[in-house]
């Protein structure tokens, strides 16, 4: 099974006095100035981070959620009754507990200083920046506790042919429910200063959104519809060679050896049996370090002794 994190974004118009990435793209002279500032002084827009991000728990995005536990359990049980073989390892139960933990994130909130073309999700270059007039920013939520599991399959004997990838976003109803609530939480930021004064609005005070995004959702049901129409990948694929017992859908054992195959290990993010909060790269490094020790025949105490020998008193 494959996990790919979904990202639901809402492009919003920004007042012209607050230049965004569109200012660079629309004006070659400004782009040249920005490049020179970075090359010469390591300053300007290219010296800063392209995103602002944070993580929020369910208790944070909806602190007054009535009967949250029973709501989550009912969605889990309903899906389980309809798809009894979908989760042989019992991971959904774990996710349900994590969603209720105020110290666990239900979403990653991402703010981008650029608009987005939601009709072009195939690549980042087609998605960003906006081609509509004016300045734009994008705010959105990414799932950190996705229960929906997709697949990746070979479809040709040609080794250069791309596989068929189906992320199956929101195939589990709890994912759609949580993402819609996270999106409404993100939208609430637009009424808070200083962001509220930066955004463009129509004569009635409504946010200006991109033509492809549609109106800003105000209710949970509207948010669910928006999420289904405005979600792209945030990548971070894991899980296709999960470290689990074979009878529970696993591919590798605790030593990263493929079940039933001699002399073959898998050492990458595909062995994660569940997803992680945030980006996966640091855990990939940890897996690689552990794999190196396993291949060299080192156990935990060997590693501790090796580290101790490197210490300088």
């Amino acid at each position: 099974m494959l996990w790919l994190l979904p990202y639901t974004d809402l492009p919003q118009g920004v007042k012209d006095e607050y230049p965004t990435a569109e200012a660079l793209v629309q004006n070659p002279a400004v782009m040249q100035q920005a490049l020179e500032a970075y090359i010469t002084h390591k300053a300007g827009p290219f010296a800063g981070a392209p995103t602002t991000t944070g993580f929020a728990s369910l208790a944070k995005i909806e602190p007054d959620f009535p009967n949250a536990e029973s709501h989550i359990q009912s969605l889990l049980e309903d899906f389980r009754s309809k798809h009894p073989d979908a989760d042989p390892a019992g991971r959904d139960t774990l996710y349900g507990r994590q969603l209720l933990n105020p110290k666990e994130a239900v979403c990653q909130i991402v703010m981008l200083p650029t608009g987005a073309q939601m009709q072009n999700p195939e690549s980042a270059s087609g998605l960003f920046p906006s081609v509509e007039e004016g300045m734009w920013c994008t705010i959105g939520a990414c799932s950190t506790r996705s229960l929906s599991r997709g697949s990746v399959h070979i479809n040709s004997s040609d080794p250069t042919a791309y596989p068929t990838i189906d992320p199956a976003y929101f195939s589990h109803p709890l994912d759609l429910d949580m993402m819609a609530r996270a999106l409404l939480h993100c939208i609430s930021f637009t009424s808070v200063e200083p962001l509220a004064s930066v955004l463009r609005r129509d004569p009635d005070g409504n946010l200006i959104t991109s033509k492809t995004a549609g109106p800003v959702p105000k209710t949970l049901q509207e948010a669910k519809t928006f999420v289904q129409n405005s979600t792209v990948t945030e990548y971070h694929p894991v899980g296709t060679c999960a470290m689990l017992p074979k009878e529970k859908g696993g591919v590798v054992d605790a030593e990263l050896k493929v079940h039933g195959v001699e002399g073959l290990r898998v050492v990458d993010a595909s062995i994660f049996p569940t997803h992680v909060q945030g980006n996966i790269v640091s855990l990939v490094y940890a897996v690689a370090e552990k794999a190196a020790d396993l291949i060299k025949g080192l156990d935990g105490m060997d590693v501790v002794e090796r580290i101790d020998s490197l210490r300088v008193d």
Side-chain angles (χ1 to χ4, degrees):
M1 293 184 179
L2 169 71
W3 269 295
L4 273 169
L5 294 183
Y7 172 58
T8 301
D9 55 8
L10 176 65
Q12 301 164 84
V14 175
K15 295 177 181 177
D16 288 342
E17 57 263 39
Y18 301 99
T20 61
E22 284 72 26
L24 302 176
V25 176
Q26 296 169 8
N27 192 324
V30 174
M31 174 70 83
Q32 185 61 37
Q33 291 172 4
L35 288 172
E36 291 175 358
Y38 180 74
I39 293 171
T40 305
H41 305 291
K42 294 298 184 287
F46 292 122
T51 66
T52 299
T53 188
F55 294 84
S57 66
L58 180 58
K60 177 66 70 174
I61 67 172
E62 194 155 344
D64 299 322
F65 194 160
N67 303 315
E69 183 173 2
S70 60
H71 176 75
I72 289 172
Q73 290 304 319
S74 67
L75 289 176
L76 288 173
E77 291 169 7
D78 182 64
F79 185 83
R80 190 180 300 119
S81 66
K82 296 175 181 176
H83 308 276
D85 300 324
D87 182 33
R91 287 168 284 191
D92 290 356
T93 301
L94 171 63
Y95 277 149
R97 292 200 303 269
Q98 289 175 328
L99 289 174
L100 293 166
N101 188 337
K103 294 184 179 181
E104 295 280 354
V106 68
C107 70
Q108 178 183 10
I109 300 169
V110 180
M111 185 81 176
L112 304 171
T114 178
Q117 303 177 76
M118 298 307 297
Q119 74 276 21
N120 297 325
E122 291 81 10
S123 67
S125 60
L127 190 61
F128 307 111
S130 174
V131 296
E132 296 183 39
E133 184 178 353
M135 302 296 107
W136 295 86
C137 70
T138 300
I139 188 169
C142 170
S143 170
T144 58
R145 286 287 176 266
S146 180
L147 286 81
S148 301
R149 300 179 183 96
S151 62
V152 54
H153 293 290
I154 296 172
N155 56 36
S156 171
S157 59
D158 179 1
T160 65
Y162 291 114
T164 298
I165 301 175
D166 177 12
Y169 290 144
F170 309 123
S171 56
H172 198 295
L174 186 53
D175 286 346
L176 180 61
D177 187 273
M178 292 293 109
M179 185 66 94
R181 296 176 192 275
L183 178 63
L184 290 175
H185 178 66
C186 291
I187 293 171
S188 71
F189 297 157
T190 63
S191 61
V192 179
E193 297 294 355
L195 186 59
S197 297
V198 172
L199 301 175
R200 284 185 277 152
R201 299 177 187 272
D202 66 19
D204 295 324
N206 298 311
L207 292 170
I208 300 295
T209 62
S210 68
K211 296 175 182 177
T212 56
V216 178
K218 294 181 172 62
T219 67
L220 182 61
Q221 188 54 53
E222 289 175 355
K224 289 181 179 181
T225 300
F226 188 96
V227 164
Q228 290 174 311
N229 295 325
S230 299
T231 293
V232 296
T233 183
E234 207 196 26
Y235 308 101
H236 310 309
V238 308
T240 52
C241 296
M243 182 187 290
L244 288 168
K246 185 177 181 180
E247 63 272 17
K248 293 186 176 181
V251 175
V252 301
D253 61 18
E255 294 188 341
L256 306 176
K257 296 178 180 179
V258 176
H259 295 305
V261 180
E262 293 291 331
L264 179 62
R265 300 182 200 247
V266 178
V267 185
D268 58 28
S270 68
I271 66 102
F272 301 172
T274 61
H275 223 301
V276 298
Q277 296 184 92
N279 297 4
I280 60 178
V281 63
S282 58
L283 186 53
V284 171
Y285 293 155
V287 169
E289 292 285 352
K290 180 63 176 178
D293 291 336
L294 289 171
I295 292 169
K296 290 185 290 187
L298 298 174
D299 60 23
M301 290 307 300
D302 292 328
V303 177
V304 171
E305 292 172 1
R306 184 177 61 187
I307 294 174
D308 286 341
S309 69
L310 298 174
R311 289 177 178 168
V312 177
D313 295 329

